[in-house]
């Protein structure tokens, strides 16, 4: 029988986490892994990068005049453009652009005087147009940074300043919503959310564990709410996080990354990163 996992936060020294993992010890705060029985001296360092999708505070969608409202009746806020009817043309919302520029300035970004939109082609039932309008190649803002604090210590009463680089901020459309009915074995489509303006904030892989990622997301949420560019209500899907996770040995290139998508809670984000790192390291050893 495998010995119980004893994972202790290297920063705060908090209580051990119950679990089971063969011959591995995980120090959560520093994201360091090593063999428990001394069979290997190799240590793995965690690497975490984030892609954060924030719904912009706007009364209309990014390219159409349809209203934006949470929990409205299904398919009641859909324009001809949102439904991808032939002959319709997009009109960019000035307010969404201003919100993205304001956020970029608050995050110490360089605002590009010229940016453009790209088509990201993929088929999905709740994306009737068949592609997403985004800014992959020439975004609205680049090269920023986010300063945040990590609470450490036994009582989490000590603050360590941290900084994460921001690669870019881009505007893009949200997709609709698929509602799966298992009882009737069918999927219903709600296009109220299709075309809603999103601001994707891409962070460099400067974090090493779930605690750091959660602290960065909470700080960003406060900034967006203070600016008024996004309500940042994670329970309503207005702030969703994709986490890219990998491990590597000191001085070596980053390993193959795993991605966990659409996380709507900072606490669950920290747990997901910890479990993903555990899974990656387990496969490396066994």
């Amino acid at each position: 029988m495998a010995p119980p996992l004893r994972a202790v936060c290297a920063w705060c020294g908090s209580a051990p986490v119950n679990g089971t993992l063969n011959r591995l010890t995980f120090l959560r705060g520093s994201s360091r892994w090593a063999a428990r029985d001394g069979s290997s001296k190799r240590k793995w360092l965690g690497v975490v990068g984030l892609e954060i999708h924030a719904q912009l505070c706007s009364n209309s969608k990014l390219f159409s005049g349809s209203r934006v409202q949470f929990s409205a009746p299904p398919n009641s806020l859909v324009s001809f453009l949102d439904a991808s009817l032939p002959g319709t043309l997009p009109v960019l919302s000035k307010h969404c652009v201003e919100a993205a520029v304001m956020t970029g300035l608050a995050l110490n970004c360089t605002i590009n005087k010229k940016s453009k939109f790209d088509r990201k082609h993929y088929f999905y039932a709740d994306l009737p147009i068949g592609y997403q309008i985004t800014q992959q190649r020439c975004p609205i803002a680049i090269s920023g940074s986010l300063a945040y604090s990590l609470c450490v210590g036994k009582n989490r009463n000590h603050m360590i300043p941290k900084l994460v680089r921001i690669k870019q901020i881009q505007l893009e459309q949200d997709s609709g919503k698929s509602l799966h009915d298992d009882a009737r074995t069918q999927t219903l489509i709600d296009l109220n959310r299709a075309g809603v303006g999103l601001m994707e904030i891409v962070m460099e892989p400067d974090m090493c564990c779930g605690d750091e990622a959660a602290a960065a997301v909470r700080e960003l949420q406060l900034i967006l709410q203070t600016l008024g560019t996004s309500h940042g209500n994670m329970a309503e899907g207005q702030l969703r996080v994709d986490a890219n996770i990998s491990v590597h040995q000191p001085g070596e290139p980053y390993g193959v990354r795993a991605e966990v998508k659409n996380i709507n809670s900072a606490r669950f984000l920290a747990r997901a990163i910890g479990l993903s790192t555990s899974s990656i390291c387990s496969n490396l050893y066994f």
Side-chain angles (χ1 to χ4, degrees):
M1 182 176 179
L5 170 67
R6 189 172 180 82
V8 182
C9 179
W11 289 112
C12 63
S14 58
V17 180
N18 294 326
T20 301
L21 189 63
N22 291 339
R23 299 192 295 115
L24 291 179
T25 300
F26 173 44
L27 301 179
R28 177 163 154 246
S30 61
S31 197
R32 289 182 289 131
W33 289 80
R36 180 193 301 276
D37 57 7
S39 60
S40 173
K41 294 184 178 180
R42 295 195 303 174
K43 293 185 178 180
W44 301 96
L45 301 178
V47 181
V48 180
L50 300 179
E51 299 173 7
I52 302 173
H53 300 82
Q55 181 178 316
L56 293 165
C57 282
S58 176
N59 294 326
S60 62
K61 297 183 180 181
L62 185 59
F63 290 108
S64 75
S66 298
R67 288 190 302 113
V68 177
Q69 179 183 341
F70 180 73
S71 71
N75 296 312
S76 62
L77 305 175
V78 184
S79 69
F80 292 151
L81 178 70
D82 302 330
S84 188
L85 296 183
T88 56
L89 295 174
V91 178
L92 180 61
S93 168
K94 178 182 177 181
H95 181 74
C96 291
V97 175
E98 292 174 345
V101 171
M102 187 184 302
T103 303
L105 293 174
L107 296 176
N108 308 305
C109 292
T110 300
I111 307 300
N112 286 328
K113 295 182 179 180
K114 181 179 179 180
S115 62
K116 65 178 183 179
F117 288 94
D118 306 305
R119 288 185 178 185
K120 182 179 179 182
H121 287 264
Y122 62 93
F123 173 78
Y124 207 68
D126 55 19
L127 192 68
I129 199 171
Y131 58 84
Q132 180 189 42
I133 301 179
T134 183
Q135 292 186 311
Q136 183 65 34
R137 297 178 179 86
C138 191
I140 197 166
I142 58 173
S143 305
S145 62
L146 172 66
Y148 63 98
S149 298
L150 181 65
C151 296
V152 298
K154 186 174 182 180
N155 298 320
R156 303 185 69 83
N157 56 0
H158 182 57
M159 309 285 283
I160 295 180
K162 293 282 185 177
L163 185 74
V164 58
R165 293 172 296 157
I166 294 176
K167 180 181 179 181
Q168 64 187 50
I169 298 177
Q170 61 195 49
L171 287 171
E172 63 184 27
Q173 290 178 307
D174 204 350
S175 61
K177 193 174 185 180
S178 298
L179 305 173
H180 304 289
D181 187 351
D182 295 333
R184 299 181 181 180
T185 63
Q186 64 182 1
T187 298
L188 305 177
I189 304 298
D190 181 9
L191 295 179
N192 281 347
R193 201 175 64 183
V196 171
L198 292 181
M199 181 169 48
E200 181 176 354
I201 302 167
V202 183
M203 296 183 177
E204 298 284 3
D206 295 338
M207 294 161 283
C208 68
C209 65
D211 287 343
E212 290 189 13
V217 169
R218 291 189 182 103
E219 182 66 24
L220 177 63
Q221 184 182 34
L222 289 175
I223 291 174
L224 297 178
Q225 291 172 343
T226 302
L227 293 173
T229 56
S230 175
H231 292 304
N233 189 335
M234 302 188 81
E236 295 183 359
Q238 296 173 352
L239 193 68
R240 308 191 295 270
V241 185
D242 299 342
N244 296 296
I245 307 145
S246 66
V247 299
H248 73 118
Q249 294 182 35
E252 294 189 1
Y254 295 160
V256 178
R257 68 182 181 182
E259 187 174 13
V260 184
K261 298 182 70 70
N262 290 327
I263 305 173
N264 64 346
S265 164
R267 182 165 60 92
F268 293 158
L269 172 65
R271 292 181 61 186
I273 292 174
L275 291 172
S276 297
T277 309
S278 168
S279 175
I280 293 172
C281 290
S282 299
N283 292 330
L284 289 174
Y285 272 97
F286 305 105

